[in-house]
Amino acid sequence: MKERLPLASSLLGVALAGACTVRGTEEPILLPAVLSLGLVENQLRLVELHLPEGDGVNLTSPGVESPVSYCYWPTTGEVVVSSFRDGGVELHMVSLADPSYWQSLTEGGNHYWEVACSPDGSTIAVTSDTEISSEVLILGLDGGPPRRVLAEAEVASVHPIWSPDGSHLALLASVRPSMEAGAGPWGIWIVDVRSGEVTHRIEGPADPGADLAWSPDGSRLAYSLRRNGQSADVYVYDLSMGIETAVARSDLNEIQPEWAPSGGELAFLVQTGASNDMRQIATWSPAGEASDLLEDGPLPLEEVLWVDEARMLVATYSQASDSTEFLLLTPNPYRLQFISEWP
């Protein structure tokens, strides 16, 4: 059996774009190269996949152990990776332009499990773990000491996501009765990066791995929460009005919200199978209700990424070929085209 390259649980990142001809049509379509964590010769690696060829470039430098998280700057092609190294989880930088490039950013037994690159390319937000807590820190690329995002010592924080203008971080936070106590219910907090002030608090309980997505203009935050204790529902929070809207609320799990480039629509996955492996794609706009896109029914979806306002890149797992298949979805008029597969 072939080792397939499973896509990362986080949203796929658009790394590059190049003109190609999708199978079955002569229309040239711009498709991205995507970054993903996956298996290469039974080792977890960071890989850049090229579409529609379906080939990949291993970006993990020799001697670096398994990567656990990454973020990147599209304008420069630089990728920040957290990976096991020297008894900790440290940060280093690689380059899409030069796969042989490698630069260590941290050392000394840190445990930086999550990374988020600031929009201006100057800083990184990380989730740092200690024996009794998790907290979000900000690190500059100039080598200066890290600083805490939240001033309250009794608050645990994880999963930072930058606002598009870099002025705020959305993160998951939990107030502990004491430093020795475990984390309580998680909520979503929005924090002013410069002052450390919490400007918005969204009641949970949230899963520590909850999906968060800023709208392109930074006016709204989409997220998936398990408020009823049974299923995850998608909501949109309007920052200026302080109002939360339930995009989808049902007995099914709605996950992985992703805004269209204009912010006019929100796409998300709806888990419909008994084991949550079959998923439908739904979209929602502020002017209307959510609607399903896959006319032929749910698929074993792994990721969905907007290519432009009219089309989405869809990654599915094919059990027959034991591979990840990439499809191009055009909702109107409806068309689902095969592009490529890995491996």
Side-chain angles (χ1 to χ4, degrees):
M1 178 178 294
K2 294 183 294 184
E3 290 286 352
R4 76 182 184 95
L5 184 68
L7 300 181
S9 58
S10 58
L11 200 64
L12 287 176
V14 180
L16 301 171
C20 70
T21 300
V22 174
R23 192 176 302 185
T25 178
E26 296 302 319
E27 177 188 3
I29 297 175
L30 289 176
L31 286 178
V34 296
L35 293 174
S36 177
L37 297 178
L39 292 175
V40 177
E41 297 179 349
N42 291 319
Q43 298 292 322
L44 191 62
R45 293 292 182 256
L46 177 65
V47 177
E48 177 190 6
L49 296 178
H50 300 147
L51 303 179
E53 294 86 356
D55 61 342
V57 177
N58 182 9
L59 297 175
T60 308
S61 301
V64 176
E65 299 178 45
S66 298
V68 295
S69 180
Y70 66 90
C71 64
Y72 77 101
W73 287 290
T75 54
T76 64
E78 294 173 320
V79 185
V80 177
V81 187
S82 65
S83 62
F84 290 96
R85 180 162 48 92
D86 301 330
V89 182
E90 304 292 350
L91 303 183
H92 64 274
M93 186 180 293
V94 296
S95 171
L96 298 178
D98 181 6
S100 65
Y101 173 80
W102 184 90
Q103 177 187 355
S104 175
L105 298 179
T106 65
E107 58 184 14
N110 300 292
H111 289 84
Y112 295 148
W113 292 99
E114 297 176 305
V115 293
C117 295
S118 65
D120 67 359
S122 66
T123 55
I124 310 161
V126 300
T127 298
S128 175
D129 278 3
T130 65
E131 293 182 357
I132 59 175
S133 180
S134 297
E135 61 180 355
V136 173
L137 307 176
I138 292 182
L139 287 72
L141 294 182
D142 57 3
R147 67 178 178 90
R148 301 185 62 188
V149 173
L150 295 169
E152 299 94 331
E154 69 275 11
V155 176
S157 56
V158 298
H159 199 42
I161 305 292
W162 289 93
S163 64
D165 65 0
S167 64
H168 290 74
L169 278 170
L171 48 82
L172 298 174
S174 173
V175 178
R176 300 185 304 272
S178 67
M179 288 300 290
E180 290 74 26
W186 293 88
I188 300 171
W189 291 11
I190 298 176
V191 186
D192 184 294
V193 173
R194 184 173 298 235
S195 68
E197 176 189 0
V198 179
T199 60
H200 299 81
R201 299 175 191 247
I202 302 171
E203 296 293 333
D207 188 309
D211 304 312
L212 310 177
W214 286 93
S215 63
D217 64 359
S219 66
R220 290 167 291 177
L221 183 72
Y223 44 90
S224 178
L225 288 182
R226 295 180 180 270
R227 278 211 175 106
N228 60 10
Q230 295 180 354
S231 63
D233 300 314
V234 172
Y235 302 86
V236 170
Y237 184 82
D238 187 301
L239 274 70
S240 63
M241 301 182 67
I243 295 176
E244 179 184 75
T245 300
V247 171
R249 184 183 295 165
S250 69
D251 293 335
L252 303 174
N253 284 324
E254 291 101 17
I255 59 173
Q256 295 175 226
E258 162 78 347
W259 291 97
S262 69
E265 283 190 287
L266 181 74
F268 56 95
L269 301 184
V270 182
Q271 298 177 326
T272 61
S275 60
N276 285 332
D277 57 341
M278 298 297 290
R279 300 171 178 178
Q280 173 65 261
I281 303 173
T283 58
W284 172 88
S285 68
E289 298 180 351
S291 58
D292 294 343
L293 295 186
L294 295 177
E295 295 184 358
D296 299 325
L299 293 170
L301 298 172
E302 295 180 318
E303 298 283 353
V304 174
L305 173 70
W306 291 90
V307 174
D308 51 37
E309 288 296 320
R311 291 167 296 196
M312 301 176 186
L313 181 65
V314 179
T316 71
Y317 172 56
S318 171
Q319 189 172 10
S321 60
D322 190 30
S323 63
T324 295
E325 293 186 350
F326 293 94
L327 312 173
L328 188 69
L329 170 63
T330 305
N332 188 26
Y334 181 79
R335 189 173 189 184
L336 192 61
Q337 302 164 262
F338 176 85
I339 299 174
S340 183
E341 68 177 352
W342 176 279

